[in-house]
Structure formats: structure tokens, C-alpha cells
Amino acid sequence: MSTQQIGREVLVAIDVMNGVDPLKRKEALDWLTRFQKTAEAWEIYSTLLREDSLQPSYRSFSAMQLRLKVVNDLHQLDGPARFGLRASIMDLIVKYKKGPLGLLDYLTKALAGLSVQLLEWENPVRELLQRYSSDLEMYPVLLNYVEFLAVELTSRNRAYKSMEPEVLEEREKQLLSDCSDDVIALMVYMSEHADEQSQWRVSILRCIEAMVPNDYIDITTLCQTPLIAFMFKSLEVEDDDDGDWASRGLSAVIKNSADLREEKQMAIVTALHPHLIQLGPVLNEYLASGEVERVKSIAIVYVETGFAYSNLILQEFGSFEQIFASLVDCTACDDYKVVEWVRDVWCKFAEDIDDIIKAANPSSHSSRRGRVLDHEDEAHEAEMLGRATERAAGAIATRQRLAVYYERLIELSAARMQFPADVDRMTSGEKDDFRDFRHVWGEIVKACVTALGTEVALKRPTEMLMAYLATVSSAGQLPDARGAVPGAPTWQAIEAVLFTFRVMGSEVPHNESVWMPRVMDLLPSLLPLHPRLRYAATLVIGRYTKWTKNHPQYIPYQLDYIFKGFEDKESMPAAALALCHLAEDAGQFLLQFLDQLHVFVPQLMNVLSVNEQIKIVEAVSLVIRHLPADQVDAHAYKLSEPIRGRVQQVLVRGCPAEEGERKAAAYELNDALEQFVMIFKHVTPPPRYEDSGAVVDITEFPITTLLNETVPIINWLMSTFGHTAVSRGLDTLLKFMIRNFPMQLWPFVRNFLVGGEGSNADTGDLGKLAEVYQATSLPEYLRIAFHLAKVYLRDWSNGNQELRSESAAIMSRLLDQLSVSTFSKLQTMDITSDDTQDIAKYYFYLLNAFVETPTLLCASQHLGTIFQCATACLQISEEYVACEAIKFLDRTLSLCRPPDTAPPSEEALMVAHVMSSMATGLGENIYIQIFRAFMGEFPLESGPVREASRVLIVVAEQQQGSSVWEKWVVDVLSGIPEVDLDSKRKQDFLTKFSSAVAANQASQLSALLSRTFAYYRDRNSTPSRPR
């Protein structure tokens, strides 16, 4: 077929790809993707780019494809052809130097990619700068070329990973670092004429922003040129894009100077300092006029300055105070992004202030405390102590000078965090945005506490609250949100101060005794003023419950305050949350109110929302756990009475036949189960379990009555509602029952849930869990099995070896029961469906629990099928499942090698023998499936390549000295089309693969696979559409 015919087919395919028929669009896209990989594409796309009669979109698409060819397919061209391609691209760049801009960018990127790989082209940048030195229209193109070079090398495009690192590093130096003076000279000339050539400005700024981060330009040299002043001036031009690029360039300069040696850094700071000072009035002008985009550009520069020179600013505060003040001005901006950026630098300042004060503490420098010192030591110690004292005094003085700015930030926070006047008309989206905005301000307030110290930070909001309350009329009335009463605060103003106290809570010591007592004394006076204030004050109580634990005299009034919150619908969520926190942190002080709580809970169940009911049950459970062990059972049972009553009501009605009613009943039951969860989760002696996950013996802390009542409920629910969403509630409930009460629950597990000796996976005589799972295919039952395995495969029996052996046998039987059902489901269900993926995911949870006890896993009569299942799951589209399958294969097959003990135990030898037979049985199939997992229909982009490498090596080792695995690799590679992986790459891959496997070098093989898989994915990515 002639070049013209192929070109016409390409144009037709582009038209179809931009059409409306989705099927035809996909066919055209697939055709273009295949064609793009062929050697003919070089000539076709180059030819189309020279056709002036073609629409710009066709030529832009051709330029984009040519760029992709340069990156991915340069191996298709020999040396002379590559130089011919260089000449062709350079001619096209000159042809399109005036645009279209997108097309020109693709061509320039193609030339940049070629420059990286064409090592015979010795000095591309300098050669091009000299060749086009007299063509002013090429100047911005040249800078764009340098920018794209920097971007290509910075991104370490995967196509360049085939180049040796030292070769690429040398090429990087040759292309950019060695030519930086020439590039700077060009930028200086262009900056001097940027007012006449306005399009030059953005090219200069973009080039600086690309070259500085990786030190392609020496920033000390850059700061000695007019380019610094040029960038600051560009922040003030009318074009927002210029300001954005100027801010990026300056930010890069500032950020890269942060880690320089002191003398170099000071030279840069000296160059930047006057411009940063002069920028302050410009910032205030833009703030006053509401030019947010320009404020953003300047704010980024100040933020980077704060991050880079934080310690210097704090040590030489007098010289940098104006810059510090400008950061406060940036914070006053209403824009969320600006406040978010500045938030981070305030946190950085706060941390540094705290570190300076701690480091300057004289007590931290008494290194010889407790030793008898001679005169020389005493003199040295005195000198060190004197210096530390001097630093401490300086640090305290700096903190005092900063106080005015941080106090202003606290005042700003109280103003900015106020609800708007029309809060009731806010949409849900607006409420979410406002909540996020308040969260960012909350982080700034926390930074203020760290920077100022607790006492000074609490002083300002306390004074504000006292002043607000002093102005409220004696009748207890507040003006409306629009301030109908001159000088009187709105509820929004007071609520914002209360929110300030809330966010400070995490920073306030639990023994604070100066301001927090005053705040707590003020809260009762807020109760009658406004429902929103009652809500906010209740949350303040909930935030300071750890403080309250150290000040229990406040508990009676706080508890009364919380109870009154339940009388107001708007305050109920806050009251439930506060009660829960109070019970968690100070539950021992609530024991005297436990009878009152028992009366209170049933009354609330009919008026509270579901979430609030759960919080109330959780709160009372947290109190009950502080009772003596002999009283726990009765109180836990009493707390559960209204919950059991609700379940009994549904039990009497039975499972409705109508779907809507059945769903409603399931939701109601799940709500009740969640309340049961709170009891079984918290009514245990602290700590409930060790951090390692090992179960703590709590046989002396029974809740026998409630357990005996709950087990029949679980039985009935699994039988009647097991096929509904109730399975989720059962999963969560059993998780905590199993984890916290394994001994008491074991008879139920043994005799009913899993089934005793009579149960058999092959005959269909199953325990309840396997029976319901087989009938419903719901993955929650696999999760329950996982909870069982995590506990009963460990030493849960307090040394009772008979129980331990019994539980191991029953858990092994459970695995066989569930495996049979899972194999059947995975074979018959759609492998791409969410249900199948969930089943596979939770099945691997279960398998990985058994890997910790490999003798039980090896004893499974279905072990071979388990490995076949794991291999098949490599092709499931859910990446997590395939990754878990690879990790399971790695963990189990690694047991083929007995541990390095002398001699290994009989158990280890048995496991190694069984796993070796599994690895031998996997053979060629595992090679095919692993390669398909990374290079097939659903390629893993971030999969566990190292684990996969170890699996491939272990399987090869089991071939009794045979190199048959090399043939497997050859067969796999032969199935990959030449356009996706050429013969040279295949041969190179095979050589390195064989070397890594023979040397048992998993890390070497992993690196090889990572490069190859990444290259393959890039080759098979879908091209973008032309615009």
C-alpha cells in the first residue's frame, strides 16, 4: 500500500475516532494505537505534518504521534535515519515557529526526546543556540526546547530507563548543566526586551521554573543577574499567567536555596530580601482590590520564603519582620487555597519556635550532672550554661516579639471562622466547603498555641468571650446575625470563639489551671442565648474531657449541661458525642451516675437518631467497664435490654417477603447490632488486647448473661436474615465477640458456628458459617472466618494444649469447608464483578491468616486447589486481589526453603516438602499467569514485582536442575507481538532474566521486570485525541 493510501487511512481513522459512534470510535482508536507502533508511522506522520492543506487538528495529532514515536520507538531507526529525523524535526519547528502553539510544543518535545537519546549529537543546546542566534522568532522556541529537555530528564521518562544510569547522568550534564551560562545569557537578553516582545516573558519564566529545581542552573549565578528583578516585576504584570509562572520560578529559586551552605544561602537571601520587602505594599493593594489570582502568586513566594528561611527569620527577626507581617496579610485572604498554603508555613514557624526554646533551655545542657568536676570542667560547664542561658533569653524575646502577630492570627481566625449571616440557606456543598475552611483555620490556631505557649494563646479568646458576654443584654437576648443591636455580638461571633477553644484542645495541657477554669465557668451563661451556642459549648465540653479528668469537680455541671442538650434537637448530636468522650476519658468519675444513665438510655432511644443512639450506648459501656468484675454482667445486661427488645420485635414479625420491607427490617437490625458491638467492644478490662494483637486473658471478666442471650440472636439472624445486609452487622459484632471473649464464645464456635467432628466439606455436612456462605455468596462470612482464624489459630487458650489442638483442627476444617464453596463460586461467577472480587479479597485475608500456621495449611486436603485458585486470581481486574494473590504465593512458596537452623525441625522439613511439590505443580502456568498479570488485559501498575520475582525464582529452583523454565520464558515472550516488544529487547530480557534466576538475585530480577513491564504498559497506552 502506498504512503498516500496509508495517510488517507490515518485521516479517516482520526475522523472516526472523533465521531459519535462509541463502537466505531474504539475500533479507530485501536487501529491508530497499533499503527503508531509500526515503522511506517515515522514517514506517514512526517508527511502529514508537511501538508499545509490539512486541518490543524490532523497536523497536531501527527506531531503528538511523532513525539511518542521518538520516546518509545527510536530503536526502529538506525544511526543515519536518526540524524535524518533530527533534520526533519528541526525543519518542521522552523516551519511552525509561529504556531499553532500545541503543534509546535509537540515538535519541540520530540526534538528534546531525540536529544536525550541521540548520544552522537554532542552538544545540541549550544548548537541550536548558535544556529538560530539571528532569528528572534526562534528565541522563545529555543527556551521552550530547553524547558522540555529539563522536564524530560527530570521526569526520567520510562523510555530512557534502558539507558545506563551513568550514561543518562553524563548526558544530563552535557545537555543542560554545561550550557547553563549560554541559556542564562539568552534569558537576560530576552528579559531586557520583554516589554516589546510580550510573548517572551512566559518563555523565560517557564524555562527558569524547569531548570532550577534540579540544579541545571546555578542559582547563586542566577541571583547575580537581572533575572531576579525581572521575575519580581512579572508578579505585577496584568497577565495572570505571567504572574503564576513568575511565582513558580521564584519559589523554585527559594526552595532550592534552603539546603545550601550558609554563605551561598546568604548571598541569595541578600539578593531576594529588598524585592520581598517591596512586594508587601503590592500584596496589600491586590488584597484591597480583591484580585485573588495575583494574591495567590505573591502568597506562594512568601510561603516558600517562610519554609526555606524559617530559622533565619526567627533568629534575625528585626530584618525579616516586614516579611513576617506580609505572611499575616496573606492569611487574611478569603481564598481557601491561599489560607491552606499559609497554614503550612505557620505550622512550620510554630515547630521551629518550639524547637529553639527547647534547645535553648539551660537545663538541657547540664551534660555532667552528678559528676565531680575539676576546675577546667567547671569553667567549660559554666561557659556552656551561659551560652544556653543567652540563647534561652533570645528565644523568649523572639517569642514575645512574635506574640503580636500570632494574637492577630487568633483574632483573624475568630473573624474568618464565623458562620455567614444566611447560614440556614447554605447548600450542602457550601457547608462542606465552609467546614473545610474552618478546619484549615483550626490548624493555624493550633500553630498559634505552639508558638505562643498555652497560657498566652488561651488568654486572647478567653478575653474575647468575656467581652462578648459582658455586652449581651441582661435579658439574655442576642441580636440577629446582621447585628440589629449596634455593638452587640451575634451568635456567629461567639460561636467562632467557642470553635477556637475546640481546636486548641489538642494543644492544651490537661493540667492547665489559669484560663480553662474561667472558660468552663463561662459556659453555663451561654445555655439560654441561642441553640447554636448550646451546641458549640457542648462540643467544647466534649473536647476537653481529658482536662476534665484532672478537674473532676466540673463533672456534675458538665453532665447536667449535656443532659439539657438532649432536650434540644439541634444539640442532640453534640450532647451524644460529648457524653461519649466524657465516659471514655473520665468514666470512673461517672460511676456514681450509672443508675441515672440506665434510666436515661431507654427514654432517649425513641427520640435520638441512629448514630446518637449508638454513641449513648457506647458512652454507658465505657462507664460500665470501670465497675468491679462481679458487677459488670448485671449492668451490661441491663444496658442491652432496649436493644434486645427491638430485636425481639423484628423476630416476632419474621423476615418480610416484600423486598422493601425486608431491607427496612435489615437496616433496623443492623442498627441494633451496632449497639451490641459497642457493649462487646468496650465492656472489657483495659487494655482490651495487646498492641501486637495477641488476645488478653479476660476469663475473670465475664458478661455471661449477655453472651448467653446474644448467641441465640446470632443463630436466628444467620438463619432468617443471613442473606440480607444483616451479614455486615453480624460480621462487626462477631469480630469483637471473638476478639474480646474467645474463651466464653468457644463452645458456640465449636458446636454451631463452625461445626464439630461431624461436619464435612465434601459431604455437605457444614457448620452454620459455611452453610450460610454457601447459600448466600456474601463475602462478610469470609470476613467472620478471618476473625475466627486470627484468634483461634493463636495461643488463645491460656496454655490449655487440648483446647489449642481442638481449635486448630476445627479451623482447618473451616478452611476446607469455605474453600470448596469459594472454588465453586469463582468458577461460576463473572471474574470482573464486584461480588467476585470481594469474595476473592476476603478469601485471601483468610488464607494469609493460615500462612502464619503453615502446618495447618499444608494439612488441607484442598491445598492444590487453593494454589490453583491463587493463580487464577492473578487475572481478576481488581488490582488489590491480584496483588494479594501474588503475596500469598510468595509467602507460602518461600517455605520451600527450610529455615537456616541446624538442624531444621521435622515440621519445617514437612512444610518445605509440601510447598516444593506445590511449586513444582505450578510450573509453566505460574510463569504465564504472572506475566499476564503485569502485561495482560488488566495490567498491574503498582503490583508487588519483588514478590513476583521471588515466586518465579522459587518455581525455577524446584525443576531439579533443569532449565526448562528458560523455555517457559521464551514461550511467554514469543506470544508478545513484535510491535509491543521487539526482538532485541526480548533477547536482552531473556539473557538478564536467566542470569538473575541462576544467581538467585530477586532484587536484580525485580528491577528487570519493573523496567520491562513499565515499557510494555507505555507501549500499549491509548493515544490522546487531537483537539
Side-chain angles (χ1 to χ4, degrees), residues 893 896 914-923 926 954-955 958-959:
L893 295 182
C896 290
V914 172
M915 290 305 171
S916 294
S917 66
M918 291 296 108
T920 303
L922 291 173
I926 193 63
V954 168
V955 172
Q958 306 310 310
Q959 304 311 312

Side-chain angles (χ1 to χ4, degrees), residues 246-304:
S247 117
R248 292 190 192 187
L250 285 167
S251 296
V253 170
I254 294 166
K255 187 184 296 185
N256 269 42
S257 69
D259 298 324
L260 293 178
R261 293 196 305 271
E262 185 176 352
E263 62 274 12
K264 281 195 170 186
Q265 187 184 80
M266 285 308 301
I268 294 168
V269 171
T270 301
L272 296 174
H273 185 271
H275 298 290
L276 290 166
I277 298 299
Q278 294 166 14
L279 199 58
V282 179
L283 170 66
N284 288 325
E285 180 184 331
Y286 291 156
L287 282 167
S289 58
E291 297 180 70
V292 175
E293 293 305 315
R294 295 190 173 191
V295 171
K296 284 182 179 179
S297 297
I298 295 175
I300 292 173
V301 175
Y302 278 123
V303 166
E304 290 298 345

Side-chain angles (χ1 to χ4, degrees), residues 831-1011:
I831 199 171
T832 63
S833 72
D834 290 343
D835 290 340
T836 307
Q837 291 168 6
D838 284 344
I839 286 173
K841 177 168 67 175
Y842 295 128
Y843 182 61
F844 279 111
Y845 278 172
L846 178 61
L847 287 179
N848 280 311
F850 274 86
V851 172
E852 297 176 15
T853 53
T855 52
L856 285 182
L857 188 62
C858 290
S860 172
Q861 58 184 313
H862 299 286
L863 184 61
T865 312
I866 288 173
F867 274 88
Q868 291 176 17
C869 177
T871 305
C873 284
L874 294 178
Q875 306 311 319
I876 285 184
S877 58
E878 172 60 47
E879 184 162 313
Y880 178 85
V881 174
C883 290
E884 287 300 305
I886 291 174
K887 291 175 183 177
F888 169 76
L889 290 169
D890 174 46
R891 292 181 67 192
T892 50
L893 295 182
S894 67
L895 299 172
C896 290
R897 305 184 184 110
D900 297 331
T901 57
S905 66
E906 290 186 10
E907 182 180 281
L909 290 173
M910 183 275 291
V911 170
H913 174 73
V914 172
M915 290 305 171
S916 294
S917 66
M918 291 296 108
T920 303
L922 291 173
E924 182 177 11
N925 186 46
I926 193 63
Y927 271 61
I928 294 171
Q929 297 304 328
I930 284 179
F931 275 88
R932 281 185 61 196
F934 289 94
M935 303 170 74
E937 185 179 0
F938 306 110
L940 298 173
E941 292 191 12
S942 57
V945 180
R946 181 177 292 274
E947 289 86 344
S949 302
R950 289 197 291 259
V951 170
L952 295 173
I953 288 175
V954 168
V955 172
E957 286 177 346
Q958 306 310 310
Q959 304 311 312
Q960 305 299 326
S962 167
S963 59
V964 65
W965 51 269
E966 289 187 338
K967 179 181 180 301
W968 299 342
V969 179
V970 171
D971 291 344
V972 168
L973 295 176
S974 64
I976 302 175
E978 181 74 12
V979 294
D980 294 333
L981 198 67
D982 61 271
S983 300
K984 183 177 180 301
R985 289 183 186 274
K986 288 179 181 178
Q987 185 57 48
D988 182 61
F989 175 84
L990 181 60
T991 301
K992 293 179 178 178
F993 187 98
S994 300
S995 173
V997 172
N1000 192 20
Q1001 289 293 323
S1003 59
Q1004 183 181 331
L1005 181 58
S1006 175
L1008 173 65
L1009 292 176
S1010 294
R1011 289 196 302 271

Side-chain angles (χ1 to χ4, degrees), residues 646-647 649-650 653 663-673:
R646 289 176 58 191
V647 174
Q649 290 176 5
V650 181
R653 297 197 302 265
K663 282 184 177 181
Y667 288 142
E668 185 177 356
L669 287 169
N670 268 341
D671 295 341
L673 291 176

Side-chain angles (χ1 to χ4, degrees), residues 450-466:
T450 303
L452 290 172
T454 306
E455 188 173 331
V456 178
L458 281 172
K459 178 176 178 289
R460 188 69 195 107
T462 306
E463 290 174 345
M464 293 170 69
L465 183 59
M466 293 170 67

Side-chain angles (χ1 to χ4, degrees), residues 292-326:
V292 175
E293 293 305 315
R294 295 190 173 191
V295 171
K296 284 182 179 179
S297 297
I298 295 175
I300 292 173
V301 175
Y302 278 123
V303 166
E304 290 298 345
T305 302
F307 272 114
Y309 313 133
S310 172
N311 280 315
L312 181 62
I313 290 171
L314 295 175
Q315 291 167 10
E316 305 291 340
F317 188 71
S319 301
F320 291 94
E321 187 167 2
Q322 287 178 267
I323 295 173
F324 203 84
S326 293

